[in-house]
Amino acid sequence: MSTQDKRREDLVDTPSRFPVREVVLFAALLVAILGVYAMMGTAYSTRMLVEAACYAILALGLTIQWGYAGQFNAGVMGFVALGGFCAMFFSVPVNDAFWGSELPGELGRVLLYGVAAVLVVIGATRLDRLGVPKRLRTLIAVVLAVVLYLVVISLMREVTGEIQSRAGFVGGLGLPAWTGWIVGGALAGAVGYFIGHICLGLRSDYLAIATLGIAEIIKAFLKNSDWLTRGTATVSPLPWPTPGPAELGFTLARAAYLSITAVMIAVIFFLLHRAYHAPWGRMIRAIRDNETSAAAMGKDINRRRLEIFVLGCILMGVGGGALATFNSLFDPQGYLPLNHTFLVLVMVILGGPGNNLGTIFGAVAVYIIWIMSEPLALFLMQLAVSIGEGAFGWDAPANMDSRALQARVFVIGLLITLVLRFAPKGLLPEKVKHHG
């Protein structure tokens, strides 16, 4: 028997190893969850699990971008905010003060002017096909863009000022909350498609800077569009897709919401698992590992990278919608890079980029650490103060609650340092099969 035949036989006959690490880690996670339930109560712990499940969806979106394709997206916050906005806009009751007036027609007219202006500018960029010199074409396009922008934004300010003074804000559509989640994913994917066409040709560090800046632009737009989102005044309450606490009580209502997010994670995990092991997934990983070789084999690099980027943005939009609906609040100012980008990044790093199961583990584990670090830090501080007062006559420091809250950042920073030092590929690293 030749050496190649022996290798093939070994590959076929070798049994799959028992997942000892996975079982141990998830058992430890289960013990931690039960400890939180015993310490904090059922209602609080169930809320924590629902939020962790929403963050798991966000982390799955990031792990397919970073783990599958090596795309470092530092603008997760922006796509989460888009999902939250759609969840608000589609589920909040209809504002009759707006829809019962002539304001929708005026707003629609200005939006059509904006679309027409965009088409005119795009047409100006194609003037070189008619023989116009490229420099002159560029000058004409820039001048048209500036002039038309000033005209459209002036008309928009007039209409939005009327909306704010007469109706407060546009309001919602009064549809089920899950419609906002779907549209939020579609909107995040559409924005990701636009961004991908511009930014995916950049190096990873420049891509991170570009996506971070775009996320801040999205947040600034939502925060300053009082006519659309009420800005810093926030919109609350947002209807749930399940009976709320008023009908079922806090614990049962949150358990029902948790069941929905668990089903969503199961479906997403199944689809991503199939895609990862399909020829499409192998092609994506080949592009990640050696882009030059993949291009030499005739693969469309830019198209595949754009596909994976858009897919990740869709999951971020869906997760952002589910998270905003559960919190029953849309606050554009509440979207922070620390909470909605860096924390998701830590979840993926801890679990293992490219490993869907590891990402889910990392999301739940990191969120438990993030939430519980505050009460544990407060307990330790109070214990130290009581010992110090009795033994050394220390005075209790002021603002212990705020000091304990800041312990979250320290704990997460320490966690990511330890993981990068001792498990740089994550606690459940990506399993790469070697054939032959």
Side-chain angles (χ1 to χ4, degrees), residues 59-77:
L60 286 171
L62 181 61
T63 199
I64 62 176
Q65 290 178 341
W66 186 22
Y68 285 20
Q71 300 168 0
F72 190 79
N73 181 2
V76 177
M77 177 191 70

Side-chain angles (χ1 to χ4, degrees), residues 99-148:
W99 293 103
S101 65
E102 76 283 358
L103 293 175
E106 295 182 5
L107 179 61
R109 175 172 53 85
V110 175
L111 292 177
L112 287 177
Y113 288 161
V115 173
V118 171
L119 294 177
V120 169
V121 174
I122 292 176
T125 61
R126 304 291 194 273
L127 288 177
D128 57 319
R129 300 180 181 181
L130 301 178
V132 178
K134 290 186 176 182
R135 292 186 177 180
L136 180 59
R137 174 210 64 184
T138 303
L139 178 63
I140 293 173
V142 171
V143 171
L144 280 175
V146 173
V147 172
L148 292 176

Side-chain angles (χ1 to χ4, degrees), residues 7 11 33 208 221 254 270 340 346 415:
R7 288 177 177 176
L11 183 63
I33 293 173
F221 171 77
R254 291 171 179 176
F270 173 76
H340 300 96
V346 175
L415 176 65

